[in-house]
Amino acid sequence: MSAHLASTLAIGPGVALAAAIASFAYLARHIPGMATFSPMILAIVIGMSVHNLVGTPSIARPGIAFSLRFLLRVAIVLLGCQLTLAEVADLGAKGLLVVAGALIATFVFTVAAGRVLGVDQKLSELIAAGTSICGASAIVATNSVTEAHDEDVAYAIACVTLFGSIAMFTYPPLSRVLHLGSEAHGLWSGASIHEIAQVVAASFQNGQRAGEIGTVAKLARVMLLAPVVVALGIKARLSASRASTKSVRPPMPWFVLGFVALVGVNSAFTIPATAKDMIVTVTSFLLSTALAAMGLETDLSKLRARGVRPAVLGALAFLFIATFSLTLIKLME
């Protein structure tokens, strides 16, 4: 009992600091012009500011580590409550093909382009995951198996935030220029814009139907987070096995199994709207707390040392997924 109490007391300051930053991120969204940014993005920016301007207190380290490991994984599990198999099926075969095709092609393209540009493989995989799947949450989930530096995670999140924000403002007028209907606009937004909040902001500008399709298409991409993380984990373990000449068992991260299980539960049973809203709020807050903790460990000088090439990679990945998904949509009209 005393050991458990000591452990709880040890993580308390760090968790409290990260949670306070996450809370401030929610309040910051009430500032004019800030509502378009998710609290996750604001949390990591505030956390980085605290770390680089005043420093992270050493007493907070255990709680920060706990937030990055346990709280993050719990949040990813809870993401499963935001998706049902019926919602995915509503997209139809063509919609699912656009979503899955754009995701796979973008991930492969981004990793290959990163190799050509000389970007570190782990950072390339994080940018690929953030661009092709679901922004910041995909990056932090992917990093649970790639185990890149915190600065790489912060850089990848910066990339998807920047280019996702560009997409959020440019897609609605571009859809009108390209004569896309509401369904095509929603599918394009959901299949290619990075963050869920950015997809909602962009897709609903072209009507309710466009917004609904965009949201479901985006959630379908979130569902594909599980197989991507497992595949990357297997790849990482196989690489480690070859390097050490020892047999290494492919991983099955518990949080991925939990995510899939909750998708199944949410598909089989109707969760009351009030409970679902509460789960969504808790999930977002836990993700924001984890990213605040990550910001509290991110050194800007190390971030700058990564150079401009990863940013170029992020731009190329953004242009690729936008063009590729739009091409698929046009071909299927």
Side-chain angles (χ1 to χ4, degrees), residues 301-313:
S301 63
K302 293 180 180 179
L303 197 60
R304 287 192 294 270
R306 299 300 189 272
V308 73
R309 290 183 182 182
V312 173
L313 178 61

Side-chain angles (χ1 to χ4, degrees), residues 53-261:
L53 292 176
V54 301
T56 300
S58 58
I59 194 175
R61 299 289 180 185
I64 289 172
F66 177 81
S67 299
L68 285 172
R69 290 195 305 267
F70 184 75
L71 295 186
L72 171 63
R73 286 159 174 75
V74 170
I76 293 170
V77 170
L78 292 176
L79 279 174
C81 290
Q82 299 182 33
L83 180 67
T84 67
L85 296 176
E87 289 174 333
V88 175
D90 283 343
L91 282 177
K94 291 182 179 179
L96 290 173
L97 181 59
V98 170
V99 169
L103 189 156
I104 295 169
T106 300
F107 197 98
V108 172
F109 168 83
T110 306
V111 173
R115 194 176 300 117
V116 172
L117 290 171
V119 177
D120 179 77
Q121 181 177 329
K122 291 182 178 181
L123 179 52
S124 295
E125 289 177 351
L126 294 181
I127 293 174
T131 303
S132 64
I133 308 175
C134 54
S137 55
I139 291 169
V140 292
T142 300
N143 195 53
S144 66
V145 293
T146 59
E147 298 181 341
H149 296 293
D150 287 343
E151 287 75 24
D152 288 343
V153 175
Y155 202 128
I157 289 175
C159 283
V160 300
T161 302
L162 172 62
F163 298 114
S165 297
I166 292 173
M168 180 176 63
F169 291 111
T170 58
Y171 270 39
L174 278 175
S175 288
R176 289 187 281 272
V177 171
L178 296 169
H179 304 292
L180 296 181
S182 60
E183 294 189 1
H185 169 75
L187 181 56
W188 186 35
S189 299
S192 59
I193 297 180
H194 305 41
E195 290 279 347
I196 290 178
Q198 295 165 343
V199 170
V200 170
S203 59
F204 273 97
Q205 288 187 53
N206 281 37
Q208 181 70 23
R209 180 59 178 164
E212 291 171 352
I213 292 177
T215 302
V216 172
K218 181 61 179 176
L219 291 176
R221 287 166 69 190
V222 173
M223 185 181 70
L224 295 174
L225 174 65
V228 171
V229 170
V230 171
L232 287 174
I234 293 173
K235 173 178 172 292
R237 290 295 182 92
L238 291 176
S239 297
S241 178
R242 285 194 295 268
S244 64
T245 68
K246 295 180 181 179
S247 177
V248 180
R249 186 176 63 182
M252 178 57 74
W254 66 265
F255 63 90
V256 173
L257 291 176
F259 170 84
V260 173

Side-chain angles (χ1 to χ4, degrees), residues 306-325:
R306 299 300 189 272
V308 73
R309 290 183 182 182
V312 173
L313 178 61
L316 291 174
F318 160 58
L319 292 173
F320 181 88
I321 195 171
T323 304
F324 189 87
S325 57

